[in-house]
Amino acid sequence: MVDFPILSLMLALPLIGALFIVTIRGDEESVARNAKYTAFYCAVFTLALALYMLARFDGGTADFQFVEHYAWFPSLDIAYHLGVDGISLFFVVLSALLTPVCILASWNGIKKRVKEYMIAFLILETMMIGTFIALDAVLFYVFFEGVLIPMFIIIGVWGGPRRVYAAFKFFLYTLLGSVLLLLALLTLYFQVGTTDIPTLIANPVAGTLQMWLWVAFFAAFAVKMPMWPVHTWLPDAHVEAPTAGSVILAGVLLKMGGYGFLRFSLPMFPEASAYFADFVFWLSVIAIIYTSLVALVQDDMKKLIAYSSVAHMGFVTLGIFTATVAGIQGGIFQMISHGIISGALFLIVGVLYDRLHTREIARYGGLVKNMPKFAVMFMILMLGSVGLPGTSGFVGEFLSLLGAFQVNMLVALLATTGVVLGAAYMLRLYRLTVFGEQKHQDAAAMPDLDKRELVLFVPLVALVIIIGIFPNLILDRVGPSVDRLIMQYEAGLESGLETGQKSDGVFVPRGPQEGVE
C-alpha cells in the first residue's frame, strides 16, 4: 500500500460523489433523498480513508508522508505535489470528520435545492482537504481560494434574511487578502524559480523583500482566521449561514489562516516573523480581550460563539509566533480542539433553532427539565470551551500561554484574562439557557435530542474528553514536525545574523538581496 495514492483518492471521492449527484433525476423528494445519501456515504468513505492515513502515519519522523508528485506544468516547474506531515495531518482528519457531521446535521433542516446543497458541501470538502495536503504553492492557492466559492454559495443561498450581504462581505474580505497572497507567490516564483513548498522553505528570500512578502502572506492569513481588526465579516457570516455552514466555517475554514502561518510565514520568512512577532502578540491580546468582552454582552447565541472564536484564534496566533515548542504545539492543538468544540457548539445552537426558530438567549431557560441529554452535551462542550482541565480546550490554551510566558510575560498575563472572560460569557450562556425559570411554554415543550442528533454529538463530545485526557495522541505525532519547523526558523535567523544584527531583542532585517530593489 506504499504506492497507493490515498491523498488523491481523498480529493477525488467527494468530487465523484458531486458528479453522481448531478446525474440524479426524478421527483423532488426522491432526488433530495438520493442526494443526501450519496453525499453522506461519500463523506463517510473519505473519513475512513483519513482514519486509515492516520493509522498508517509514522509519528516518529518529520518527513512528509504519502507523497505524490506528478508534473503539472513542467516548463514552469509547477507540480501536482501532495503530502502530509504532523502539522497538516490532523487538519485533514478534522476536515474529513466534520463534513459527514454537517451533512447529517442538514438532513432535515435543508428543504430547498437539496441536490445543489450536497454538491456544494462535497466540493467544499475537496477544497479543504486539498489546502492542507498541497505541497506546491500554486496548488495550495487553487485549493485555498477554491474554498470561497462553495462557502459563498452555501451562505448566500441557504442562509438567513441577510444572507446575500453576509456572503458578499465574507467573499470580498477574504478575496482582498488573497490578491496580496497571489502577488507574493508570483514574486517568490520569480525569485526562487519554483513553487515547490519544501524548496521555497529551503531557499528563503532575504532582506526587505522578505518583509514585504511576510506582510502580503499575513494579510491573507489574518483575514482568514480572522484576526482583529479584520474579523468583522465572521459574526455576519456565522449568523446568516445555515447551521452546517457555521460548523464548517468555524471548524475548518478559520484554521486555514493558522495553517498558513505554520507552513509559510515562520519557515519561509523567519527574519520577518521575528521582526513582527510583537506586532502579532498585541493584535492577539486585543483580539482575546476585546472580542471576549463583546461576546459577554451578546443576546444572539450564534454571535456569542462567533466572537468567542475570534478570541480563541487569538491564542493560536499568540502561540505560533512565540516560535517555541510549547507555543506552536499549543497553537496547533488549540486549532484542532476549537474545530471540534466550536463546531459542536454551533450544532447546539442549531438544535434549539430547529425547534423554536430563534437564537435569542432570552427566549430559552430551564431546558435541563425537558432536555436533560441536551443539557449534558452542552455542559461538556461549554466546559471544553472555557478550558477546564480534562478537556481538549485546556491543553491548547495552557501550551499557548506557556510559550507566551517564555517570550513576553506582559503579553501572557494580559492574554490570561481571556481565560477568565471566556468562562464568564460561556457560563452566562449556559445559565440563561439551561437553568433558571422556564418563562416560555414553547421552550418548555421542546423535545430532547433524538437519535440522529445523539449520533452527531456523542463522537464530538467523546473526542473533547479523550484528547483532553490523552493529549499525546496528538502531540506525539505533531512533535517531530514542530521541532523541524523551529529548526528551519532558527536556521533562517542565524543565516540572517551573518549580515544583520539584533538590538534589544528585536531582529533588524538584512539589507536587500542582490539584484532586488
Side-chain angles (χ1 to χ4, degrees), residues 2-175:
V2 174
D3 297 325
F4 181 66
I6 187 171
L7 301 183
S8 289
L9 188 56
M10 290 173 65
L11 293 179
L13 194 55
L15 292 180
I16 293 170
L19 289 174
F20 181 80
I21 293 174
V22 170
T23 66
I24 296 176
R25 297 291 183 269
D27 61 89
E28 185 177 354
E29 183 179 348
S30 63
V31 167
R33 182 178 63 254
N34 292 332
K36 286 189 284 190
Y37 277 107
T38 301
F40 181 70
Y41 287 133
C42 283
V44 169
F45 288 144
T46 305
L47 175 59
L49 288 173
L51 294 176
Y52 172 79
M53 177 192 69
L54 177 62
R56 292 292 303 271
F57 185 84
D58 182 3
T61 177
D63 295 335
F64 288 103
Q65 301 177 45
F66 310 101
V67 174
E68 301 175 34
H69 191 287
Y70 308 102
W72 191 10
F73 296 104
S75 59
L76 298 177
D77 198 18
I78 298 174
Y80 176 79
H81 190 188
L82 308 177
V84 294
D85 64 354
I87 292 174
S88 58
L89 174 67
F90 289 99
F91 295 116
V92 177
V93 176
L94 184 64
S95 303
L97 170 65
L98 291 182
T99 303
V101 168
C102 288
I103 292 172
L104 197 58
S106 308
W107 207 262
N108 299 325
I110 301 299
K111 306 201 180 283
K112 63 176 184 178
R113 299 179 179 176
V114 177
K115 177 178 174 179
E116 291 81 0
Y117 181 86
M118 296 301 166
I119 290 171
F121 255 98
L122 289 177
I123 294 174
L124 180 61
E125 180 176 26
T126 290
M127 297 301 169
M128 292 187 302
I129 293 175
T131 300
F132 297 122
I133 65 176
L135 293 182
D136 183 276
V138 171
L139 191 63
F140 170 85
Y141 184 80
V142 169
F143 288 124
F144 187 79
E145 289 305 291
V147 167
L148 297 182
I149 299 172
M151 197 68 216
F152 172 80
I153 295 172
I154 289 169
I155 297 173
V157 176
W158 293 277
R162 299 175 70 244
R163 59 185 178 273
V164 175
Y165 167 78
F168 273 99
K169 190 173 183 181
F170 159 73
F171 189 86
L172 293 175
Y173 263 72
T174 50
L175 183 64

Side-chain angles (χ1 to χ4, degrees), residues 288 315 386-387 397 401 415-424:
I288 291 169
F315 285 103
V386 304
E397 288 186 358
L401 290 172
T416 305
T417 62
V419 178
V420 179
L421 292 172

